[in-house]
Amino acid sequence: MALKATIYKAELNITDLDRSYYASHNLTLALHPSETIERMMLRLVAFARHASDTLTFTKGISEDDEPDLWQKNYSDEIELWIELGEPDEKRLRKACGRADAVWIYSYGGRAADIWWQGMEGKASRFEHLHVAGISPDTLTALTALAERSMQLQVTIQDGQIWLSDNVHNVLVEFVALKDAR
């Protein structure tokens, strides 16, 4: 019998001072049986960082043809493609060919570092590709916020992302590995 996804609900109250974006989002996240809590929370942080009315979660981990999140315009063109993990060059090429902007959030500690060493030269040719890394310690701290029903305050200022609930405060700082040209 196949395992089913675990459903999480999150209410994000976002104050993004860097983009002058202020909104609340009620989100439903499906934790795939092969996905970790850390990865799910990273999806939530990626949503908060790029939040808009048209940004949506996709089938992600269970669909090879879609990223983890995307933002489409009203003509169904992909404006923003957000991928978590360490995609291969073929997937990067596909993403950059289909979307106006592509963000990769790399995680996994040493494995992510090794991936980037092999990918850095290849990724340099993709003009609208951004690659950011996150430390394993930050991912671990994010799990303290994970509950089946979450109410989180998100404050973004000067590139720093603060997430908090009634008990915990977590600072998320990404390491820019590649910025778009």
Side-chain angles (χ1 to χ4, degrees):
M1 184 168 100
L3 296 174
K4 294 186 178 188
T6 304
I7 303 301
Y8 285 76
K9 301 278 187 174
E11 179 184 334
L12 292 184
N13 294 305
I14 301 171
T15 302
D16 187 339
L17 300 168
D18 292 348
R19 296 186 303 144
S20 297
Y21 181 84
Y22 311 94
S24 291
H25 293 271
N26 290 311
L27 305 171
T28 300
L29 295 101
L31 178 68
H32 190 274
S34 65
E35 184 178 31
T36 64
I37 296 286
E38 290 90 346
R39 188 178 190 284
M40 181 194 71
M41 292 304 290
L42 181 56
R43 279 194 293 139
L44 197 61
V45 171
F47 182 94
R49 187 176 193 192
H50 300 278
S52 77
D53 292 337
T54 55
L55 183 65
T56 59
F57 293 104
T58 66
K59 294 177 185 173
I61 211 167
S62 58
E63 181 64 45
D64 289 338
D65 206 35
E66 297 178 356
D68 292 288
L69 297 103
W70 62 16
Q71 179 177 315
K72 291 184 172 184
N73 63 21
Y74 296 113
S75 299
D76 209 33
E77 298 165 327
I78 303 169
E79 297 175 327
L80 179 61
W81 178 293
I82 300 172
E83 187 96 28
L84 307 182
E86 291 75 40
D88 60 20
E89 182 182 7
K90 180 180 177 185
R91 185 138 174 106
L92 286 180
R93 189 172 40 254
K94 177 182 180 177
C96 290
R98 292 182 63 192
D100 296 336
V102 176
W103 279 83
I104 306 296
Y105 289 98
S106 176
Y107 66 96
R110 183 72 184 129
D113 294 340
I114 293 168
W115 167 80
W116 184 241
Q117 288 172 1
M119 191 60 66
E120 186 173 12
K122 299 170 188 172
S124 65
R125 70 175 194 222
F126 301 116
E127 292 184 10
H128 50 276
L129 173 65
H130 303 264
V131 181
I134 187 168
S135 77
D137 293 338
T138 301
L139 283 176
T140 301
L142 285 170
T143 63
L145 299 171
E147 295 181 13
R148 294 287 297 272
S149 180
M150 300 176 261
Q151 290 185 328
L152 300 174
Q153 305 299 319
V154 181
T155 304
I156 302 172
Q157 183 175 12
D158 299 329
Q160 292 184 328
I161 303 171
W162 284 94
L163 281 88
S164 60
D165 59 12
N166 291 333
V167 179
H168 306 93
N169 290 310
V170 178
L171 171 62
V172 178
E173 290 183 292
F174 290 100
V175 176
L177 301 174
K178 181 191 180 304
D179 287 320
R181 287 186 254 151

